Amino acid sequence: MPAPADLAAAGPKGAKKMLTKAADPLPAAELAPFFEQACRELVRAGESELAFWAFGQARKVEKDHPALLDLDRVQDVFLELVPAGGVGPAALRDYAKTLAAELPAEEAHARFRAVICAGFDAGLIPYARIFPDLRTLARAAKIKKRDEEEFLAERLLRAGLMPVASHQIWAAARDPLAAVARRDDALMERLIAAEPDSAHHDEESGEEVAEEIRQMWLECLAASGAGAHLSAHWFGHDGRGCAAAVLLELVDQAGERLFPDAEVVYGDETDPTLPPRDYRNILPQNEMGTDAPRWWGSNFDAGRQAADVASGPEGRDRFAALLDAFVRDMGYYGNVDYPATVRALWGLPETREVLSEAVEGWKADAGRPDLPFLHTALQRLVRLTGRSGGLLDLEPGVAEGLDPADPVDALLAALRGGIPAELGVPGDGTPSKSPKAGRTIIQHLGYLTVTERSWHAYASVSGDDSLGVRLPQLPDGMLPWYDGETAVLSRVKDGVWQSFRVEGQTGQTVALTLDPDTATARPQAPGTAEVTFPGAAGPSEVRSSRGAITVTASDGTRTARLPFSPVMSTKGGLVPPPGWWPRRDPADPAGSAALRRLGREGAARLLEAALAGPRAAAGALEAVLPEVTAPPLRDGVLAAARTAAECLLLAVEVRDRIGRPQPPALPALVSPAAGLPFERTAAQTRWLVRQRLIARALESATNDEPEAGKPYLVRTVSLPPRAYVGVEPDTLAGYALPAVLPWTPDSQRERILDVLRLWANAPIGDGTDSCRLLRLTPAGAEGQTRAEHQMVDRRLEKEAPGELWRTPGGALLILDYQRRDRTATAVEYAPGGEFDQDGPPGWQAARAPVPCWGDADRVVRLIRLLADRGPAPIDAAATVRDLAERAGFGLADAVEVCRFPAGILDEDVSATGATLPYPMRDAVRERLLPDDPADLWTTGLDVDAAADWWRTHGEAQPAKP
């Protein structure tokens, strides 16, 4: 045997040659003992790699000479040299396979486990694959995987070996370590003390792997529930730089003792760093993604809401927020019995009291010229007192004392008092209830932290210092902010602020530390601030409360109310907290100063222009306030004007409903014609405004623009948003038909007549057949590719609505364009009834046009005839048969055109088998009502005109289904 010193001096390659040469003369039976002795000598000399090789050579001899294998002797050798550190991983893995091949499963497992445990007893882990190799032997021995893993985990803990365990060992041991520690307090203490040896791992594997091992230890602690055993000092030292989700789990396990002196702040109404407790009433109108009760569902329990109100102030506040959201969205679904819910809430003293208080508050707000509060109050009162709410039926005097303020005064007060847009503050910020919200905005002293979240997050800090902080994955519900030195993540749990320092990144997530000295740190930001708008006489107050920021001018007028939360959805702009408003620069100082000089006449002009649509409003703004040039301020002024216009429509509706006289100075656009009253809901008034503006545009083009031989484009006019009242111009006669029939219920008849009176308020033209509705489609579409179609559709959808054309006989206005069926709707006006047959360039007819039946004189005559004579005597069966015979289509189609109830027809007259497309049925039905309504009581329905129209237009130009 060469001396170990000589072997070491020869180097690995030379040492192996020396040993091999020394072994050459030996017989085979003595080779394995020779190399095993060499292993012992090399271990003592500290030559581990050569020792591993020598031990492997001994085992190779046994493979080459199977007859020499003595498993009992080999087991003893393993039990001797594994603890000594002379056996390498390859020999151990081979030994496990040899045992499995040579011995019964139970004995093979027991022997190999004994070898591994011998290493544990000697203070070392024999090799990294102990878990998978022992699991394999255990499985063959019918030992459960969990039991084997937990056995190994416990032995490792008791031997104190986990601090130096490799990455592979930690990865395999995490779950079983947590399981055994959960069951045994002594093992829990050992696991807590098993912090990986950073210096050892840095040297062995590098800093990155060392940190991964440490994070696995922390994960193991969290999985075992160790947080309940950890001190506050531990979190600030041993537990520093922990992966965020793991640290939060440990903190939750530790509980309140980590925050012994914390102040409970949950519910602080004026704290701009706290998300609102109940967000539902401040979400945008008709935002149906809330988790409010399904008030209309069969499982809705008004008694449960009443019990919540009776439980105390918090329950009362909860219900008040839910109620506000319910009333705001009332009428959203057409098939929901909202009045039933109102009756249920009114029928219980607790909920009735809250509802009554809400109504009184809305009435008070409706009486003040505070624009945002006026709008909210009128919107709620209109819904609650209308058909959707039915409160007036339950309590007729509920609206007593309600006198809506003048929207013009409210608009003037808002613009002169100061609006957020003057400081570039957006008005469309959307608070979010989701813990995964896309953005957060937190102020702390002189720093504002805005965080954009997606897969990763980026925090932009503005203020005394400006910087950007890139954050990896953030746990849900965390609020990032900057304390002047470092980034902080906070959450509010059971009313207590819990704050964690950001320590960089570990893996794909953010690493945090809970420092006992700053564990309850929270952003310091005022809930109220003062800001002086350019040119204002005094400062305005900006106050945060209950999820909204209210701006109050120096004279007490509330000029703005913005939804606000430090947690925002990804839609809309970001509203800064009150304390940051004074730090913002004016968006347009000259424009702001001009708002202070605005007079009532200018405000009235802005409001009326807002009724006419965005282009008209923009034109009025340029004329009334030319100094306002910055886009943010222009948008803010126009938004205020639109709100005031909506207030006007709502005020008209609520005054009509409660029987209060309308103010004498209503704009002409919304005033009904003499003798033609109609139910002035905001929707119907909005529709009337649109029709009058359409008529005004058509008449002005006809009268003011020179006639030419071909149509030419005059300009693009402003159109207000569409409103629908149940009927289109080309189906008005068919809609009116049931009103004259004797079997129509009186309630339905009155609804029809109300719509007819509404139509009579919006005449287009000066007599019969002076107006018609056209359905147009782009010309020249044949041969175009799909991509070309889409490009044309996008252009027309954007540019076509509002196009005003002068035609040879009058004028034409395109109202909209629908990409779905590539169809535009247009109104054509010709005072003499002579229409241009070509249509505007670039368009062709999608189907045959139908003249508008309902001019004012005709509607008034029809209503008077019904009042004097009652319904017209119509023979339903005879009319159906006559129409089918004269038109030449089937009896079933005639039934569908006339829409007579089945019960009044002969048994052999049925709608089964109708083939006429729906647009054609509507068009034929439109001709059944005679031009002179008096003919209904003498000759009946105009079957001849309907049949003639079908033979002229329907057969020759069939409509698309």
Side-chain angles (χ1 to χ4, degrees):
M1 177 74 65
D6 295 337
L7 292 173
K13 188 173 182 181
K16 291 176 184 179
K17 286 183 177 180
M18 290 173 66
L19 285 171
T20 302
K21 184 177 180 180
D24 278 346
L26 298 176
E30 295 180 16
L31 287 175
F34 171 82
F35 281 109
E36 289 164 358
Q37 182 59 30
C39 176
R40 294 183 186 95
E41 297 287 345
L42 290 166
V43 168
R44 284 194 289 270
E47 297 294 333
S48 297
E49 292 301 322
L50 281 175
F52 292 169
W53 175 82
F55 190 87
Q57 289 301 104
R59 306 285 75 77
K60 184 175 182 298
V61 170
E62 292 164 349
K63 286 184 180 180
D64 293 340
H65 304 86
L68 298 177
L69 177 62
D70 182 350
L71 284 179
D72 291 336
R73 191 191 72 80
V74 172
Q75 178 73 9
D76 291 339
V77 172
F78 269 92
L79 289 175
E80 173 197 355
L81 292 180
V82 165
V87 182
L92 284 163
R93 288 198 300 271
D94 285 345
Y95 188 48
K97 295 175 183 176
T98 300
L99 290 173
E102 299 292 335
L103 298 176
E106 293 83 356
E107 186 178 353
H109 171 261
R111 287 197 178 200
F112 194 70
R113 181 192 270 189
V115 168
I116 299 301
C117 289
F120 294 165
D121 293 339
L124 59 83
I125 300 173
Y127 74 118
R129 284 186 53 86
I130 57 174
F131 275 85
D133 287 351
L134 267 170
R135 279 200 305 263
T136 301
L137 293 171
R139 182 167 56 249
K142 302 295 191 292
I143 297 173
K144 292 182 178 178
K145 171 187 174 184
R146 181 185 61 191
D147 293 341
E148 187 66 20
E149 289 182 335
E150 290 181 3
F151 169 83
L152 285 172
E154 180 174 342
R155 288 300 305 269
L156 285 165
L157 274 181
R158 293 192 184 280
L161 293 171
M162 289 309 299
V164 295
S166 68
H167 189 286
Q168 189 173 2
I169 293 291
W170 271 104
R174 273 182 298 185
D175 292 341
L177 282 172
V180 298
R182 276 196 300 268
R183 295 196 298 262
D184 189 313
D185 289 344
L187 292 177
M188 176 67 77
E189 291 180 10
R190 288 177 177 272
L191 179 60
I192 293 172
E195 178 178 4
D197 186 335
S198 297
H200 169 80
H201 292 299
D202 284 350
E203 184 179 347
E204 290 287 324
S205 308
E207 291 184 8
E208 184 176 346
V209 173
E211 181 58 24
E212 288 180 10
I213 293 172
R214 180 173 172 274
Q215 293 298 327
M216 285 192 281
W217 168 61
L218 295 169
E219 291 172 16
C220 192
L221 290 176
S224 69
H229 304 269
L230 301 174
S231 66
H233 179 271
W234 181 94
F235 280 94
H237 293 79
D238 296 351
R240 69 199 178 282
C242 180
V246 175
L247 181 59
L248 294 179
E249 189 174 357
L250 288 167
V251 169
D252 288 342
Q253 293 165 5
E256 297 178 358
R257 61 187 178 80
L258 295 181
F259 314 95
D261 302 320
E263 175 191 3
V264 176
V265 297
Y266 194 79
D268 188 349
E269 295 177 359
T270 59
D271 190 337
T273 63
L274 278 174
R277 297 187 65 182
D278 201 322
Y279 51 83
R280 284 162 284 212
N281 59 317
I282 61 171
L283 288 177
Q285 184 176 338
N286 292 335
E287 182 79 31
M288 300 305 291
T290 75
D291 59 358
R294 294 288 177 175
W295 306 85
W296 53 84
S298 58
N299 60 344
F300 171 70
D301 187 354
R304 185 182 307 163
Q305 300 298 327
D308 197 26
V309 172
S311 67
E314 288 194 6
R316 189 183 185 90
D317 288 347
R318 258 192 313 271
F319 176 71
L322 286 174
L323 178 68
D324 187 53
F326 166 62
V327 177
R328 176 200 63 197
D329 293 324
M330 192 177 285
Y332 184 83
Y333 293 115
N335 60 344
V336 170
D337 189 358
Y338 292 98
T341 301
V342 175
R343 288 193 298 271
L345 298 175
W346 194 256
L348 297 170
E350 296 85 357
T351 50
R352 181 170 63 247
E353 182 179 353
V354 177
L355 180 53
S356 297
E357 289 178 1
V359 171
E360 292 303 314
W362 292 326
K363 285 163 59 177
D365 284 341
R368 296 184 57 183
D370 297 353
L371 183 61
F373 291 84
L374 171 65
H375 178 260
T376 295
L378 289 174
Q379 191 265 355
R380 304 304 195 263
L381 291 169
V382 161
R383 279 158 174 71
L384 199 54
T385 59
R387 283 194 293 266
S388 292
L391 188 58
L392 283 175
D393 296 333
L394 296 172
E395 189 68 31
V398 74
E400 184 177 347
L402 174 58
D403 185 13
D406 188 331
V408 175
D409 292 340
L411 176 60
L412 180 63
L415 295 180
R416 296 187 67 173
I419 58 175
E422 295 183 60
L423 300 177
V425 174
D428 58 350
T430 305
S432 175
K433 70 185 181 73
S434 170
K436 299 180 181 179
R439 293 182 289 183
T440 58
I441 180 166
I442 300 286
Q443 179 185 357
H444 171 66
L445 302 178
Y447 300 98
L448 186 72
T449 304
V450 176
T451 306
E452 302 280 345
R453 294 180 61 163
S454 55
W455 177 247
H456 286 70
Y458 184 79
S460 176
V461 181
S462 304
D464 299 341
D465 297 315
S466 294
L467 65 151
V469 179
R470 184 169 296 280
L471 302 170
Q473 293 177 11
L474 296 181
D476 293 340
M478 302 298 288
L479 303 176
W481 55 285
Y482 184 71
D483 68 358
E485 296 180 359
T486 184
V488 179
L489 292 186
S490 294
R491 64 175 179 173
V492 183
K493 187 174 179 64
D494 298 327
V496 173
W497 277 85
Q498 300 178 358
S499 295
F500 310 86
R501 289 200 320 271
V502 175
E503 299 282 0
Q505 180 173 345
T506 175
Q508 296 297 315
T509 190
V510 65
L512 302 177
T513 294
L514 180 67
D515 188 331
D517 295 333
T518 58
T520 58
R522 53 181 302 203
Q524 301 299 312
T528 303
E530 285 190 345
V531 60
T532 301
F533 293 102
S540 293
E541 180 191 69
V542 182
R543 175 180 291 272
S544 171
S545 178
R546 291 179 176 268
I549 287 180
T550 300
V551 181
T552 305
S554 56
D555 64 358
T557 302
R558 296 171 294 178
T559 62
R561 186 174 189 269
L562 305 176
F564 172 77
S565 169
V567 182
M568 299 277 183
S569 75
T570 54
K571 296 179 287 187
L574 274 175
V575 177
W580 207 255
W581 286 48
R583 291 173 169 262
R584 295 180 72 96
D585 295 326
D588 186 349
S592 290
L595 294 182
R596 313 286 92 84
R597 302 189 297 269
L598 181 66
R600 193 177 192 284
E601 182 179 348
R605 185 173 174 184
L606 286 173
L607 186 153
E608 189 162 353
L611 289 170
R615 288 195 185 95
L621 175 60
E622 188 172 348
V624 173
L625 291 167
E627 301 89 344
V628 176
T629 57
L633 185 55
R634 287 179 60 84
D635 292 345
V637 173
L638 292 173
R642 288 193 299 270
T643 300
E646 185 67 17
C647 286
L648 174 67
L649 301 177
L650 293 168
V652 166
E653 179 173 352
V654 78
R655 279 196 177 95
D656 260 14
R657 185 166 298 144
I658 65 177
R660 192 171 191 88
Q662 299 289 345
L666 280 179
L669 279 174
V670 302
S671 300
L676 285 172
F678 61 91
E679 183 185 5
R680 284 193 282 184
T681 66
Q684 296 203 153
T685 305
R686 191 179 295 111
W687 179 91
L688 174 62
V689 168
R690 181 179 173 90
Q691 300 307 313
R692 286 179 170 173
L693 289 170
I694 290 171
R696 183 185 294 177
L698 291 168
E699 289 172 355
S700 67
T702 302
N703 298 330
D704 300 341
E705 303 295 333
E707 185 174 358
K710 292 184 178 181
Y712 64 89
L713 181 64
V714 176
R715 61 182 179 275
T716 298
V717 302
S718 178
L719 290 175
R722 290 179 60 85
Y724 186 65
V725 295
V727 61
E728 294 286 356
D730 57 348
T731 58
L732 185 61
Y735 180 82
L737 178 59
V740 305
L741 302 176
W743 47 79
T744 300
D746 290 341
S747 59
Q748 181 185 354
R749 193 187 325 278
E750 182 52 39
R751 285 197 298 273
I752 295 171
L753 294 179
D754 190 66
V755 173
L756 291 179
R757 285 191 290 269
L758 174 63
W759 265 100
N761 273 278
I764 301 177
D766 57 1
T768 303
D769 294 339
S770 62
C771 173
R772 68 178 182 175
L773 200 74
L774 302 178
R775 309 289 183 180
L776 305 173
T777 192
E782 299 81 6
Q784 288 183 343
T785 66
R786 182 177 180 181
E788 290 171 333
H789 274 186
Q790 291 175 342
M791 184 173 63
V792 170
D793 287 340
R794 283 193 294 268
R795 179 180 62 80
L796 292 176
E797 191 174 47
K798 180 180 179 181
E799 300 176 1
E803 285 187 354
L804 180 63
W805 295 77
R806 181 65 164 95
T807 62
L812 179 146
L813 179 63
I814 296 179
L815 303 180
D816 60 29
Y817 181 75
Q818 302 295 326
R819 295 173 61 181
R820 176 175 52 83
D821 54 4
R822 309 201 79 223
T823 300
T825 303
V827 175
E828 187 176 8
Y829 167 59
E834 297 294 330
F835 294 101
D836 175 41
Q837 298 304 311
D838 294 333
W843 298 93
Q844 64 187 26
R847 53 180 179 262
V850 179
C852 298
W853 175 86
D855 66 86
D857 291 341
R858 188 178 285 159
V859 168
V860 169
R861 290 187 63 201
L862 178 64
I863 293 173
R864 288 176 178 170
L865 287 165
L866 274 170
D868 294 342
R869 304 182 185 182
I874 303 294
D875 186 336
T879 300
V880 166
R881 295 182 185 280
D882 193 20
L883 176 62
E885 181 179 348
R886 291 175 183 271
F889 46 58
L891 197 60
D893 286 318
V895 172
E896 283 297 319
V897 167
C898 294
R899 277 190 180 166
F900 292 153
I904 65 164
L905 298 172
D906 294 343
E907 291 183 1
D908 59 342
V909 178
S910 168
T912 303
T915 59
L916 218 58
Y918 286 103
M920 287 295 101
R921 298 177 194 178
D922 293 340
V924 176
R925 187 183 304 115
E926 196 67 10
R927 309 313 305 156
L928 283 174
L929 217 59
D931 292 339
D932 184 354
D935 291 346
L936 287 166
W937 282 266
T938 56
T939 59
L941 297 177
D942 197 344
V943 172
D944 286 342
D948 289 345
W949 190 93
W950 167 252
R951 288 193 298 269
T952 303
H953 299 284
E955 293 178 336
Q957 215 171 7
K960 298 176 183 178

